[in-house]
Amino acid sequence: MITVFGATGTTGAPLVEALLTRGARLRAVTGQPAKAAALVAKGCDAAVADFGDRDALERACQGAEKAYLVTPPHQDMRRWKANAIVAAKAAGVRHVVMSTGLGASPRARLTFGMWHSESQELLKDSGMDWTLVQPTYFMQNLLWQAENIVSDGVYYDDLGGPVAWVDARDIADVAVEALLGAGHAGKAYGLTGAEALTGEEIASLISEATGRAVTCASLPPNQAKAHMIANGMHPDVAAAMVELASLAAKGYLAGIETTVSEVLGRPARRFRDFVAENRHAYVG
């Protein structure tokens, strides 16, 4: 049995699908009761558990040998991961695959890097086997801008430099191998796509896929932060997001990791294909 936390999220949802395709027994965990029935309909054992409820998390891990742990970016993400790690150990889970972030380590100087590192070290010290998947920016984040691309014909670039975007489905596929395959315990897998793209190149790919002119406009950090806060993000998390984005202009988010192809035996999904696959979102 595998317990999947965040089973309806950006990486959790494709992970559930991929595990079911491989015939795995799994318990899909969501914090939203309304989504449990859909998980059961897929063939999962479903559990409802809030990351703040350690007892519910432990019940969700009962009978599981392995678990996948991911939380959304949130001011309480360290406490949430700590709760899930303690719960998993108490329930007898032997191996946890946890999603954090590229570059997270005890030497990290950025807020997210330090937050993720704290969770990583807690898992390593737990006595359970562990595997870390450490992705960069998700291609799926581009869907957040679909509305303004449709209405304004503009991609707002809050990064200001090239980024080696990774498809969340590739993250999920690597996590599947770590959960089902051998030799992944004690490994940290940095995950990127196979190319680094600027905002102008992204706008060009959207234009090519949709047949309509889409331009790129720079979004200053203060505006990006204000927009995130206006959409409900905690100010501390918004500040951490802006801090992370500032690395792009320095070229620090352009590095290419070959982990996806090495673990999966196939190339990482291309940004061009992701945009073409989702072109309907950008044409209204």
Side-chain angles (χ1 to χ4, degrees):
M1 171 76 79
I2 299 170
T3 292
V4 177
F5 290 107
T8 59
T10 306
T11 63
L15 176 66
V16 165
E17 297 288 349
L19 285 171
L20 290 173
T21 298
R22 296 277 290 269
R25 289 181 60 238
L26 64 130
R27 180 175 296 123
V29 186
T30 178
Q32 303 178 59
K35 294 187 176 182
L39 292 169
V40 171
K42 291 178 182 293
C44 306
D45 177 13
V48 177
D50 186 278
F51 277 116
D53 187 342
R54 191 177 293 176
D55 290 338
L57 297 175
E58 185 174 340
R59 288 193 296 272
C61 290
Q62 290 294 334
E65 297 178 349
K66 300 182 180 183
Y68 174 74
L69 175 57
V70 64
T71 62
H74 191 277
Q75 67 271 21
D76 292 327
M77 58 191 286
R78 289 169 292 172
R79 179 171 62 86
W80 289 352
K81 281 194 170 80
N83 285 344
I85 291 167
V86 171
K89 182 175 178 61
V93 171
R94 298 203 308 264
H95 184 184
V96 175
V97 176
M98 184 167 69
S99 179
T100 60
L102 190 65
S105 79
R107 298 184 299 277
R109 297 180 180 179
L110 296 182
T111 301
F112 275 135
M114 291 185 287
W115 287 1
H116 283 311
S117 178
E118 181 178 319
S119 300
Q120 291 179 169
E121 296 308 304
L122 185 64
L123 177 57
K124 291 177 182 179
D125 291 340
S126 71
M128 296 182 287
D129 285 340
W130 54 269
T131 307
L132 304 175
V133 288
Q134 302 173 311
T136 184
Y137 279 83
F138 299 178
M139 294 181 190
Q140 281 72 10
N141 292 359
L142 185 65
L143 296 173
W144 298 348
Q145 293 213 37
E147 183 176 347
N148 51 262
I149 290 172
V150 170
S151 61
D152 305 333
V154 177
Y155 168 71
Y156 291 101
D157 179 19
D158 63 341
L159 295 166
V163 175
W165 302 76
V166 64
D167 193 307
R169 294 169 296 182
D170 283 343
I171 302 168
D173 287 346
V174 170
V176 167
E177 293 304 318
L179 289 164
L180 299 182
H184 300 288
K187 301 287 184 65
Y189 291 134
L191 303 178
T192 73
E195 58 185 344
L197 299 171
T198 64
E200 290 79 8
E201 289 169 327
I202 290 172
S204 178
L205 287 173
I206 298 172
S207 297
E208 179 183 316
T210 60
R212 58 190 296 255
V214 175
T215 60
C216 175
S218 176
L219 187 66
N222 61 328
Q223 292 184 25
K225 181 179 178 181
H227 179 74
M228 286 184 275
I229 293 172
N231 281 275
M233 187 175 287
H234 189 280
D236 290 347
V237 180
M241 293 290 288
V242 169
E243 180 187 43
L244 177 62
S246 71
L247 296 181
K250 302 172 184 177
Y252 295 155
L253 300 180
I256 305 299
E257 300 283 346
T258 58
T259 313
V260 171
S261 60
E262 291 168 356
V263 172
L264 301 180
R266 63 159 175 81
R269 289 178 170 91
R270 299 192 310 164
F271 205 106
R272 175 186 302 275
D273 295 332
F274 174 82
V275 172
E277 182 181 348
N278 292 279
R279 64 174 301 278
H280 61 279
Y282 308 113
V283 296

Coordinates of all heavy atoms in Angstrom, one line a residue, residues 167-253:
D167 N 7.8 19.7 -16.5 CA 6.4 19.3 -16.5 C 6.1 18.5 -15.2 O 6.8 17.6 -14.9 CB 6.1 18.4 -17.8 CG 4.6 18.2 -18.0 OD1 3.9 17.8 -17.1 OD2 4.2 18.4 -19.2
A168 N 5.0 18.8 -14.6 CA 4.6 18.2 -13.3 C 4.4 16.7 -13.5 O 4.6 15.9 -12.6 CB 3.3 18.8 -12.7
R169 N 4.0 16.3 -14.7 CA 3.9 14.8 -15.0 C 5.2 14.1 -15.0 O 5.3 12.9 -14.6 CB 3.2 14.6 -16.3 CG 1.7 15.1 -16.3 CD 1.1 15.2 -17.7 NE 1.8 16.1 -18.6 CZ 1.5 16.4 -19.8 NH1 0.4 15.7 -20.4 NH2 2.1 17.3 -20.5
D170 N 6.3 14.8 -15.4 CA 7.6 14.2 -15.2 C 8.0 14.0 -13.8 O 8.7 13.0 -13.4 CB 8.7 15.0 -16.0 CG 8.6 14.8 -17.5 OD1 8.0 13.9 -17.9 OD2 9.1 15.7 -18.2
I171 N 7.6 15.0 -13.0 CA 7.9 14.9 -11.5 C 7.2 13.7 -11.0 O 7.8 12.9 -10.2 CB 7.5 16.2 -10.8 CG1 8.1 17.4 -11.3 CG2 7.7 16.0 -9.3 CD1 7.5 18.7 -10.9
A172 N 5.9 13.5 -11.3 CA 5.1 12.4 -10.9 C 5.7 11.1 -11.4 O 5.8 10.1 -10.6 CB 3.7 12.5 -11.4
D173 N 6.2 11.0 -12.6 CA 6.7 9.8 -13.1 C 8.0 9.4 -12.4 O 8.3 8.2 -12.2 CB 7.0 9.9 -14.6 CG 5.7 9.9 -15.5 OD1 4.6 9.6 -14.9 OD2 5.7 10.3 -16.6
V174 N 8.8 10.4 -12.1 CA 10.1 10.1 -11.3 C 9.7 9.6 -9.9 O 10.3 8.6 -9.4 CB 11.0 11.3 -11.2 CG1 12.1 11.1 -10.2 CG2 11.6 11.6 -12.6
A175 N 8.7 10.2 -9.3 CA 8.2 9.8 -8.0 C 7.7 8.3 -8.1 O 7.9 7.5 -7.1 CB 7.1 10.7 -7.5
V176 N 7.0 8.0 -9.1 CA 6.5 6.6 -9.3 C 7.6 5.6 -9.3 O 7.6 4.6 -8.6 CB 5.7 6.5 -10.6 CG1 5.4 5.0 -10.9 CG2 4.3 7.2 -10.5
E177 N 8.7 5.9 -10.0 CA 9.8 5.0 -10.1 C 10.5 4.9 -8.7 O 10.9 3.8 -8.3 CB 10.9 5.5 -11.1 CG 10.4 5.4 -12.5 CD 10.0 4.0 -12.9 OE1 10.6 3.1 -12.5 OE2 8.9 3.9 -13.6
A178 N 10.5 6.0 -8.0 CA 11.1 6.0 -6.6 C 10.3 5.2 -5.7 O 10.8 4.5 -4.8 CB 11.3 7.4 -6.1
L179 N 9.0 5.2 -5.9 CA 8.1 4.4 -5.0 C 8.0 2.9 -5.4 O 7.9 2.1 -4.5 CB 6.6 5.0 -5.1 CG 6.4 6.4 -4.4 CD1 5.1 7.0 -4.9 CD2 6.4 6.2 -2.9
L180 N 8.1 2.6 -6.6 CA 7.9 1.2 -7.1 C 9.2 0.5 -7.4 O 9.3 -0.7 -7.4 CB 7.0 1.2 -8.3 CG 5.6 1.7 -8.1 CD1 4.8 1.5 -9.4 CD2 4.9 1.0 -7.0
G181 N 10.2 1.3 -7.8 CA 11.5 0.7 -8.2 C 12.5 0.5 -7.1 O 12.2 0.8 -5.9
A182 N 13.6 -0.1 -7.4 CA 14.7 -0.3 -6.5 C 15.8 0.6 -6.7 O 16.0 1.2 -7.7 CB 15.2 -1.8 -6.6
G183 N 16.6 0.9 -5.6 CA 17.8 1.7 -5.7 C 17.6 3.2 -5.6 O 18.5 3.9 -5.9
H184 N 16.4 3.6 -5.1 CA 16.1 5.1 -5.1 C 16.3 5.6 -3.6 O 16.2 6.8 -3.5 CB 14.8 5.4 -5.6 CG 14.6 5.0 -7.0 ND1 15.2 5.6 -8.1 CD2 13.9 3.9 -7.6 CE1 14.9 5.1 -9.2 NE2 14.1 4.0 -9.0
A185 N 16.3 4.8 -2.6 CA 16.4 5.2 -1.3 C 17.7 6.0 -1.1 O 18.8 5.6 -1.6 CB 16.3 4.1 -0.3
G186 N 17.6 7.1 -0.3 CA 18.8 7.9 -0.1 C 19.2 8.8 -1.2 O 20.3 9.4 -1.2
K187 N 18.4 9.0 -2.2 CA 18.7 9.8 -3.4 C 18.0 11.1 -3.4 O 16.8 11.1 -3.0 CB 18.4 9.0 -4.7 CG 19.1 7.7 -4.9 CD 20.6 7.9 -5.2 CE 21.3 6.6 -5.4 NZ 20.8 5.9 -6.6
A188 N 18.6 12.1 -3.9 CA 17.9 13.4 -4.1 C 18.0 13.7 -5.6 O 19.1 13.8 -6.2 CB 18.7 14.5 -3.3
Y189 N 16.8 13.9 -6.2 CA 16.7 14.0 -7.6 C 16.3 15.5 -8.0 O 15.1 15.8 -7.8 CB 15.7 13.0 -8.2 CG 16.1 11.6 -8.1 CD1 15.2 10.6 -7.7 CD2 17.3 11.2 -8.5 CE1 15.5 9.3 -7.6 CE2 17.7 9.9 -8.5 CZ 16.8 8.9 -8.0 OH 17.2 7.6 -8.0
G190 N 17.3 16.2 -8.4 CA 16.9 17.5 -9.0 C 16.3 17.4 -10.3 O 16.8 16.7 -11.2
L191 N 15.2 18.1 -10.5 CA 14.4 17.9 -11.7 C 14.1 19.2 -12.5 O 13.6 20.2 -11.9 CB 13.0 17.3 -11.4 CG 13.0 15.9 -10.6 CD1 11.6 15.5 -10.3 CD2 13.8 14.9 -11.4
T192 N 14.5 19.2 -13.8 CA 14.2 20.3 -14.7 C 13.8 19.7 -16.0 O 13.9 18.5 -16.2 CB 15.5 21.2 -14.9 OG1 16.4 20.5 -15.8 CG2 16.2 21.6 -13.6
G193 N 13.4 20.6 -16.9 CA 13.2 20.2 -18.3 C 14.5 20.2 -19.0 O 15.6 20.3 -18.4
A194 N 14.5 20.0 -20.3 CA 15.7 19.8 -21.1 C 16.2 21.1 -21.7 O 17.2 21.1 -22.5 CB 15.5 18.7 -22.2
E195 N 15.5 22.2 -21.5 CA 15.8 23.5 -22.1 C 15.4 24.6 -21.2 O 14.5 24.5 -20.4 CB 15.2 23.6 -23.5 CG 13.6 23.6 -23.4 CD 13.0 23.6 -24.7 OE1 13.6 24.0 -25.7 OE2 11.8 23.3 -24.8
A196 N 16.2 25.7 -21.2 CA 15.8 26.9 -20.5 C 15.3 27.9 -21.4 O 15.9 28.2 -22.5 CB 17.1 27.4 -19.8
L197 N 14.1 28.5 -21.0 CA 13.4 29.5 -21.9 C 13.2 30.8 -21.2 O 13.0 30.9 -20.0 CB 12.1 28.9 -22.3 CG 12.1 27.6 -23.1 CD1 10.6 27.1 -23.2 CD2 12.7 27.8 -24.4
T198 N 13.4 31.9 -22.0 CA 13.1 33.2 -21.5 C 11.6 33.5 -21.7 O 10.8 32.8 -22.3 CB 13.9 34.3 -22.3 OG1 13.4 34.2 -23.7 CG2 15.4 34.0 -22.2
G199 N 11.1 34.6 -21.1 CA 9.7 35.0 -21.2 C 9.4 35.3 -22.7 O 8.3 34.9 -23.2
E200 N 10.3 35.9 -23.4 CA 10.1 36.2 -24.9 C 9.9 34.9 -25.6 O 9.1 34.8 -26.5 CB 11.2 37.0 -25.4 CG 11.3 38.4 -25.0 CD 11.9 38.6 -23.6 OE1 12.4 37.5 -23.0 OE2 11.9 39.7 -23.0
E201 N 10.7 33.9 -25.3 CA 10.6 32.6 -26.0 C 9.3 31.9 -25.7 O 8.7 31.2 -26.5 CB 11.8 31.7 -25.6 CG 13.1 32.2 -26.3 CD 14.3 31.5 -25.7 OE1 14.3 31.1 -24.5 OE2 15.3 31.3 -26.5
I202 N 8.8 32.0 -24.4 CA 7.5 31.4 -24.0 C 6.4 32.1 -24.8 O 5.5 31.4 -25.3 CB 7.3 31.6 -22.5 CG1 8.3 30.6 -21.8 CG2 5.9 31.3 -22.1 CD1 8.3 30.9 -20.3
A203 N 6.4 33.4 -24.9 CA 5.4 34.1 -25.6 C 5.4 33.7 -27.1 O 4.3 33.6 -27.7 CB 5.6 35.7 -25.5
S204 N 6.6 33.5 -27.7 CA 6.7 33.1 -29.0 C 6.1 31.7 -29.2 O 5.4 31.4 -30.2 CB 8.1 33.1 -29.5 OG 8.3 32.6 -30.8
L205 N 6.3 30.8 -28.3 CA 5.7 29.4 -28.4 C 4.2 29.5 -28.3 O 3.5 28.7 -29.0 CB 6.3 28.5 -27.3 CG 7.8 28.1 -27.5 CD1 8.3 27.4 -26.2 CD2 7.9 27.2 -28.7
I206 N 3.7 30.3 -27.4 CA 2.2 30.5 -27.3 C 1.7 31.0 -28.6 O 0.6 30.5 -29.1 CB 1.9 31.3 -26.1 CG1 2.4 30.7 -24.8 CG2 0.3 31.5 -26.0 CD1 2.2 31.6 -23.6
S207 N 2.3 32.0 -29.2 CA 1.9 32.6 -30.4 C 1.9 31.5 -31.5 O 0.9 31.4 -32.3 CB 2.8 33.7 -30.9 OG 2.8 34.8 -30.0
E208 N 2.9 30.7 -31.6 CA 3.0 29.6 -32.6 C 1.9 28.6 -32.4 O 1.3 28.1 -33.4 CB 4.4 28.9 -32.4 CG 4.6 27.8 -33.4 CD 6.0 27.2 -33.2 OE1 7.0 27.9 -33.0 OE2 6.0 25.9 -33.2
A209 N 1.6 28.2 -31.2 CA 0.6 27.2 -30.9 C -0.8 27.7 -31.1 O -1.7 26.9 -31.6 CB 0.7 26.7 -29.5
T210 N -1.1 29.0 -30.9 CA -2.4 29.5 -31.0 C -2.7 30.2 -32.3 O -3.9 30.4 -32.6 CB -2.7 30.5 -29.8 OG1 -1.8 31.6 -29.9 CG2 -2.5 29.8 -28.5
G211 N -1.7 30.6 -33.0 CA -1.9 31.4 -34.2 C -2.3 32.8 -34.0 O -2.8 33.5 -34.9
R212 N -2.1 33.3 -32.7 CA -2.4 34.7 -32.4 C -1.2 35.3 -31.8 O -0.4 34.6 -31.1 CB -3.6 34.9 -31.5 CG -3.5 34.1 -30.2 CD -4.9 34.1 -29.5 NE -5.3 35.4 -29.1 CZ -5.2 35.9 -27.8 NH1 -4.8 35.1 -26.9 NH2 -5.7 37.1 -27.5
A213 N -1.0 36.6 -32.0 CA 0.1 37.3 -31.5 C 0.1 37.4 -29.9 O -0.9 38.0 -29.4 CB 0.3 38.7 -32.1
V214 N 1.1 36.9 -29.3 CA 1.2 37.0 -27.8 C 2.5 37.7 -27.5 O 3.6 37.2 -28.0 CB 1.1 35.7 -27.1 CG1 1.3 35.8 -25.6 CG2 -0.3 35.1 -27.4
T215 N 2.5 38.8 -26.8 CA 3.8 39.4 -26.5 C 4.2 39.2 -25.0 O 3.4 38.6 -24.2 CB 3.6 41.0 -26.7 OG1 2.6 41.4 -25.8 CG2 3.3 41.3 -28.1
C216 N 5.4 39.5 -24.7 CA 5.9 39.3 -23.4 C 6.1 40.7 -22.7 O 6.7 41.6 -23.3 CB 7.3 38.6 -23.4 SG 8.1 38.4 -21.8
A217 N 5.6 40.9 -21.5 CA 5.8 42.1 -20.8 C 6.4 41.8 -19.4 O 6.0 40.8 -18.7 CB 4.5 42.8 -20.6
S218 N 7.4 42.6 -19.0 CA 8.0 42.4 -17.7 C 7.0 42.7 -16.6 O 6.3 43.7 -16.6 CB 9.3 43.2 -17.6 OG 9.9 43.1 -16.3
L219 N 7.0 41.9 -15.5 CA 6.2 42.2 -14.3 C 7.2 42.4 -13.2 O 7.8 41.5 -12.7 CB 5.3 41.0 -14.0 CG 4.3 41.2 -12.9 CD1 3.3 42.3 -13.3 CD2 3.6 39.9 -12.6
P220 N 7.3 43.7 -12.7 CA 8.2 44.0 -11.7 C 7.9 43.3 -10.4 O 6.7 42.9 -10.1 CB 8.0 45.5 -11.5 CG 7.4 46.0 -12.7 CD 6.6 44.9 -13.2
P221 N 8.9 43.0 -9.6 CA 8.7 42.2 -8.3 C 7.6 42.7 -7.4 O 6.9 41.9 -6.9 CB 10.1 42.3 -7.7 CG 11.1 42.5 -8.8 CD 10.3 43.4 -9.8
N222 N 7.5 44.1 -7.2 CA 6.5 44.6 -6.3 C 5.1 44.3 -6.8 O 4.2 44.0 -6.1 CB 6.7 46.1 -6.1 CG 6.6 46.9 -7.4 OD1 7.0 46.5 -8.4 ND2 6.2 48.2 -7.2
Q223 N 4.9 44.4 -8.2 CA 3.6 44.1 -8.7 C 3.3 42.6 -8.6 O 2.2 42.2 -8.4 CB 3.6 44.6 -10.2 CG 3.6 46.1 -10.4 CD 3.5 46.5 -11.8 OE1 2.9 45.8 -12.6 NE2 4.0 47.7 -12.1
A224 N 4.3 41.8 -8.9 CA 4.1 40.3 -8.8 C 3.7 39.9 -7.3 O 2.8 39.2 -7.1 CB 5.4 39.6 -9.2
K225 N 4.4 40.5 -6.4 CA 4.1 40.2 -5.0 C 2.7 40.7 -4.6 O 1.9 40.0 -4.0 CB 5.1 40.9 -4.1 CG 4.9 40.6 -2.6 CD 6.0 41.3 -1.7 CE 5.7 41.1 -0.3 NZ 6.7 41.8 0.6
A226 N 2.3 41.9 -5.1 CA 1.0 42.5 -4.8 C -0.1 41.6 -5.4 O -1.2 41.4 -4.8 CB 0.9 43.9 -5.3
H227 N 0.2 41.1 -6.6 CA -0.8 40.2 -7.3 C -1.0 38.9 -6.5 O -2.2 38.5 -6.3 CB -0.3 40.0 -8.7 CG -1.3 39.1 -9.5 ND1 -2.5 39.5 -10.0 CD2 -1.2 37.7 -9.8 CE1 -3.1 38.5 -10.6 NE2 -2.3 37.4 -10.5
M228 N 0.1 38.3 -6.0 CA 0.0 37.1 -5.3 C -0.8 37.3 -4.0 O -1.7 36.5 -3.6 CB 1.3 36.5 -5.0 CG 2.0 35.9 -6.3 SD 3.6 35.1 -5.9 CE 4.7 36.5 -6.0
I229 N -0.5 38.4 -3.3 CA -1.2 38.7 -2.0 C -2.7 38.9 -2.3 O -3.6 38.4 -1.6 CB -0.6 39.9 -1.3 CG1 0.8 39.5 -0.9 CG2 -1.4 40.3 -0.1 CD1 1.6 40.6 -0.3
A230 N -3.0 39.6 -3.4 CA -4.4 39.9 -3.7 C -5.2 38.6 -4.0 O -6.4 38.6 -3.9 CB -4.5 40.9 -4.9
N231 N -4.5 37.6 -4.5 CA -5.1 36.3 -4.8 C -5.1 35.4 -3.6 O -5.3 34.2 -3.8 CB -4.4 35.7 -6.0 CG -4.9 36.3 -7.3 OD1 -6.0 35.9 -7.8 ND2 -4.2 37.3 -7.8
G232 N -4.8 35.9 -2.4 CA -4.9 35.1 -1.2 C -3.6 34.5 -0.7 O -3.7 33.8 0.3
M233 N -2.5 34.8 -1.3 CA -1.2 34.2 -0.8 C -0.8 35.0 0.4 O -0.9 36.2 0.5 CB -0.2 34.2 -1.9 CG 1.1 33.5 -1.5 SD 2.3 33.4 -2.9 CE 1.5 32.2 -3.9
H234 N -0.2 34.3 1.4 CA 0.3 35.0 2.6 C 1.5 35.8 2.2 O 2.3 35.4 1.4 CB 0.8 33.9 3.6 CG 1.1 34.4 5.0 ND1 2.3 35.0 5.2 CD2 0.4 34.5 6.1 CE1 2.4 35.4 6.5 NE2 1.2 35.1 7.1
P235 N 1.6 37.0 2.8 CA 2.7 37.9 2.4 C 4.1 37.3 2.5 O 5.0 37.6 1.7 CB 2.6 39.1 3.4 CG 1.1 39.1 3.7 CD 0.7 37.7 3.7
D236 N 4.3 36.5 3.6 CA 5.6 35.8 3.7 C 5.9 34.9 2.6 O 7.1 34.8 2.1 CB 5.7 35.1 5.0 CG 5.8 36.0 6.2 OD1 6.0 37.2 6.1 OD2 5.6 35.5 7.4
V237 N 4.9 34.1 2.1 CA 5.1 33.2 1.0 C 5.3 34.0 -0.3 O 6.1 33.6 -1.1 CB 3.9 32.3 0.9 CG1 4.1 31.3 -0.2 CG2 3.7 31.5 2.2
A238 N 4.5 35.1 -0.5 CA 4.7 35.9 -1.7 C 6.1 36.5 -1.7 O 6.7 36.5 -2.8 CB 3.6 37.0 -1.7
A239 N 6.6 36.9 -0.6 CA 8.0 37.4 -0.6 C 9.0 36.4 -0.9 O 9.9 36.6 -1.6 CB 8.3 38.0 0.8
A240 N 8.7 35.1 -0.5 CA 9.6 34.0 -0.8 C 9.6 33.7 -2.3 O 10.6 33.4 -2.9 CB 9.3 32.8 0.1
M241 N 8.4 33.8 -2.9 CA 8.2 33.5 -4.3 C 9.0 34.6 -5.1 O 9.7 34.2 -6.1 CB 6.7 33.6 -4.7 CG 5.9 32.4 -4.1 SD 6.3 30.8 -4.8 CE 5.6 31.0 -6.4
V242 N 8.9 35.8 -4.7 CA 9.6 36.9 -5.4 C 11.1 36.7 -5.3 O 11.9 36.9 -6.2 CB 9.2 38.3 -4.9 CG1 10.1 39.4 -5.4 CG2 7.7 38.5 -5.3
E243 N 11.5 36.3 -4.1 CA 13.0 36.1 -3.8 C 13.5 35.0 -4.7 O 14.6 35.1 -5.3 CB 13.1 35.7 -2.3 CG 14.6 35.4 -1.9 CD 14.7 34.9 -0.5 OE1 13.8 34.0 -0.1 OE2 15.6 35.3 0.2
L244 N 12.7 33.9 -4.8 CA 13.1 32.8 -5.7 C 13.2 33.3 -7.2 O 14.1 32.9 -7.9 CB 12.1 31.6 -5.6 CG 12.3 30.4 -6.5 CD1 13.7 29.8 -6.2 CD2 11.2 29.4 -6.3
A245 N 12.2 34.0 -7.6 CA 12.1 34.5 -9.0 C 13.3 35.3 -9.4 O 13.8 35.4 -10.5 CB 10.8 35.2 -9.3
S246 N 13.9 36.0 -8.4 CA 15.0 36.9 -8.6 C 16.2 36.2 -9.1 O 17.1 36.8 -9.7 CB 15.3 37.8 -7.4 OG 15.9 36.9 -6.4
L247 N 16.3 34.9 -8.9 CA 17.5 34.1 -9.4 C 17.5 34.0 -10.9 O 18.6 33.8 -11.4 CB 17.4 32.7 -8.7 CG 17.5 32.6 -7.2 CD1 17.5 31.1 -6.8 CD2 18.8 33.3 -6.7
A248 N 16.3 34.1 -11.5 CA 16.3 33.9 -13.0 C 17.1 34.9 -13.7 O 17.9 34.6 -14.7 CB 14.9 33.9 -13.5
A249 N 17.0 36.2 -13.3 CA 17.8 37.2 -14.0 C 19.3 37.0 -13.9 O 20.1 37.5 -14.7 CB 17.4 38.6 -13.5
K250 N 19.7 36.3 -12.9 CA 21.2 36.0 -12.7 C 21.6 34.8 -13.4 O 22.8 34.4 -13.3 CB 21.4 35.9 -11.2 CG 21.1 37.2 -10.4 CD 21.2 36.9 -8.9 CE 20.7 38.1 -8.1 NZ 20.7 37.9 -6.6
G251 N 20.6 34.1 -14.0 CA 21.0 32.9 -14.8 C 21.0 31.6 -13.9 O 21.3 30.5 -14.4
Y252 N 20.5 31.7 -12.6 CA 20.6 30.6 -11.7 C 19.5 29.6 -11.9 O 19.6 28.5 -11.2 CB 20.7 31.1 -10.3 CG 21.9 31.9 -9.9 CD1 21.8 32.9 -8.9 CD2 23.1 31.8 -10.6 CE1 22.9 33.6 -8.5 CE2 24.2 32.6 -10.2 CZ 24.1 33.5 -9.2 OH 25.2 34.3 -8.9
L253 N 18.5 29.9 -12.7 CA 17.4 28.9 -12.9 C 17.5 28.3 -14.3 O 16.6 27.6 -14.7 CB 16.1 29.6 -12.7 CG 15.8 30.2 -11.3 CD1 14.4 30.9 -11.2 CD2 16.0 29.2 -10.2

